[in-house]
């Protein structure tokens, strides 16, 4: 079935890395650690619910601006919650479609909290590695039934996309333009200078890479060579800690530039943002009731 569209412009090789990590972990183990909050009540108990692989908190912030226009790693946890909730709506709609047709649900990864690597949450990466965590409140399988034909797969996928678009249409356009507008910051002198320290820092820690993309290619290759689940997670966390340490100077240069850019962006789009501040919380509340799910965000690392 179609997977959620991602706004993130993370290094190209990380997409493959995320798929490797998620696919391998789901294959090697169906168990995940429990969240700190209570799991949402599900109206349908025909299948077990996925628990998040990271602690979560429930509820929206008072101001959704940092969630829609993230400028730092901590902001992106809110953005992950928003994108994860959108993906959860899509997944639950697709699952309900197959269940109503008495058909088996095709294998697919669950909805995930996917990080924005153009705005890396270094604190979380340092503690948890690169693997995205599952969004709580979803079901991992449908009731038994016949294998679906291509027409049903396409129809259910379209219904999922339509349901997700009902929410994504509220914040997606402004969010996408904001992320696209961050690219010129990479050419600022302070950022260019900070990036020059990245590969040397990696080398000091025993990792050879010519740039960030090359680093992720190496991580991808390393992860694919590991068959043991625990060993894979340990290596992912080790490399995540190295990446977080070596990217600190880069983020220290970029984050104040993003914060300043957001101030200007908010002023330039104040009317559109004012409408989002009203409509987005209302739309999320409506969808929580409609689908029997709750809005959640990844908790800070170590909590």
């Amino acid at each position: 079935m179609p997977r959620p569209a991602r706004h993130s412009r993370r290094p190209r090789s990380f997409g493959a890395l995320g798929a490797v990590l998620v696919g391998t972990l789901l294959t090697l183990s169906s168990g995940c650690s429990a969240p700190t909050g209570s799991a949402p009540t599900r109206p349908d108990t025909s299948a077990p619910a996925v628990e998040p692989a990271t602690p979560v908190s429930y509820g929206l912030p008072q101001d959704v601006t940092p969630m829609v226009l993230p400028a730092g790693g901590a902001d992106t946890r809110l953005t992950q919650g928003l994108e994860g909730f959108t993906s959860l709506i899509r997944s639950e709609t697709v699952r309900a479609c197959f269940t109503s047709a008495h058909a088996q649900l095709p294998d697919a990864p669950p909805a995930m909290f996917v990080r924005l690597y153009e705005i890396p949450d270094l604190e979380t990466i340092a503690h948890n590695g690169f693997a995205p965590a599952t969004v709580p409140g979803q079901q991992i399988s449908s009731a038994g039934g016949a294998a679906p034909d291509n027409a049903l797969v396409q129809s259910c996928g379209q219904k999922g996309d339509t349901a997700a678009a009902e929410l994504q249409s509220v914040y997606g356009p402004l969010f996408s333009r904001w992320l696209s507008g961050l690219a010129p910051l990479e050419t600022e002198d302070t950022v260019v200078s900070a990036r020059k320290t990245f590969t040397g820092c990696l080398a000091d820690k025993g990792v050879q890479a010519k740039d960030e993309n090359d680093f992720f290619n190496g991580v991808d290759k390393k992860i694919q060579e590991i068959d043991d689940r625990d060993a894979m997670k340990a290596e992912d966390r080790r490399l995540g800690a190295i990446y977080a340490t070596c990217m600190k100077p880069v983020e220290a240069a970029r984050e104040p530039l993003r914060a300043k850019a957001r101030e200007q962006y908010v002023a330039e789009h104040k009317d559109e943002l004012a409408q989002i501040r009203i409509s987005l919380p209302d739309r999320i509340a409506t969808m929580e009731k409609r689908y029997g799910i709750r809005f959640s965000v990844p908790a800070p690392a170590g909590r």
Side-chain angles (χ1 to χ4, degrees):
M1 74 190 70
R3 298 304 302 159
R6 296 293 179 195
H7 295 283
S8 176
R9 293 174 287 105
R10 70 185 61 82
R12 177 179 54 82
S13 59
F14 187 80
L17 170 60
V20 170
L21 290 168
V22 173
T24 306
L25 284 172
L26 289 175
T27 299
L28 293 175
S29 176
S30 60
C32 296
S33 59
T36 55
S38 300
T41 300
R42 300 293 308 156
D44 180 357
T45 57
S46 61
V50 173
E51 294 182 347
T54 188
V56 300
S57 60
Y58 293 100
L60 288 169
Q62 288 186 336
D63 182 6
V64 300
T65 301
M67 182 165 67
V68 178
L69 306 176
D75 293 344
T76 67
R77 296 170 203 149
L78 299 172
T79 309
Q80 290 175 59
L82 181 59
E83 292 274 80
F85 187 77
T86 303
S87 296
L88 181 56
I89 290 169
R90 178 184 283 104
S91 297
E92 290 298 282
T93 300
V94 169
R95 186 195 61 78
C97 177
F98 284 112
T99 299
S100 66
H102 304 289
Q104 296 175 4
L105 182 66
D107 290 337
M112 295 282 180
F113 293 125
V114 178
R115 303 189 189 108
L116 303 176
Y117 274 79
E118 66 272 51
I119 311 177
D121 180 4
L122 298 183
E123 179 185 359
T124 298
I125 295 170
H127 284 81
N128 300 336
F130 298 109
T134 54
V135 179
Q138 60 194 307
Q139 298 179 8
I140 58 176
S141 63
S142 64
D149 58 23
N150 290 336
L152 181 62
V153 171
Q154 183 175 8
S155 175
C156 289
Q158 289 173 344
K159 289 180 179 179
D161 289 342
T162 299
E166 185 180 346
L167 177 60
Q168 202 165 47
S169 63
V170 176
Y171 70 89
L174 188 68
F175 176 44
S176 293
R177 294 198 304 272
W178 165 245
L179 289 185
S180 298
L182 295 178
L185 300 182
E186 296 297 323
T187 63
E188 292 286 337
D189 290 344
T190 54
V191 178
V192 173
S193 177
R195 277 203 175 275
K196 292 178 181 178
T197 69
F198 180 68
T199 55
C201 176
L202 293 179
D204 289 343
K205 298 182 181 304
V207 178
Q208 300 299 320
K210 62 183 180 181
D211 54 28
E212 192 175 3
N213 268 337
D214 193 36
F215 169 79
F216 281 118
N217 283 331
V219 175
D220 187 2
K221 183 176 182 295
K222 182 71 173 178
I223 292 298
Q224 291 188 64
E225 293 173 348
I226 301 174
D227 295 325
D228 179 75
R229 173 180 179 271
D230 291 337
M232 183 190 69
K233 291 175 66 176
E235 182 64 8
D236 175 55
R237 289 188 174 124
R238 184 185 75 85
L239 292 169
I242 292 174
Y243 174 82
T245 296
C246 294
M247 280 296 289
K248 281 182 180 178
V250 181
E251 270 302 279
R254 292 192 300 197
E255 192 159 336
L257 295 175
R258 292 195 211 102
K260 184 177 179 179
R262 181 167 65 185
E263 290 180 3
Q264 181 177 352
Y265 196 84
V266 167
E268 293 173 350
H269 299 83
K270 60 181 180 180
D271 292 339
E272 186 177 1
L273 186 57
Q275 182 59 41
I276 290 174
R277 285 170 173 157
I278 296 171
S279 58
L280 183 57
D282 289 346
R283 187 69 58 87
I284 289 174
T286 296
M287 291 187 156
E288 284 182 318
K289 293 177 181 178
R290 181 188 303 172
Y291 295 99
I293 56 180
R294 294 172 66 187
F295 183 92
S296 63
V297 301
R303 300 187 187 178

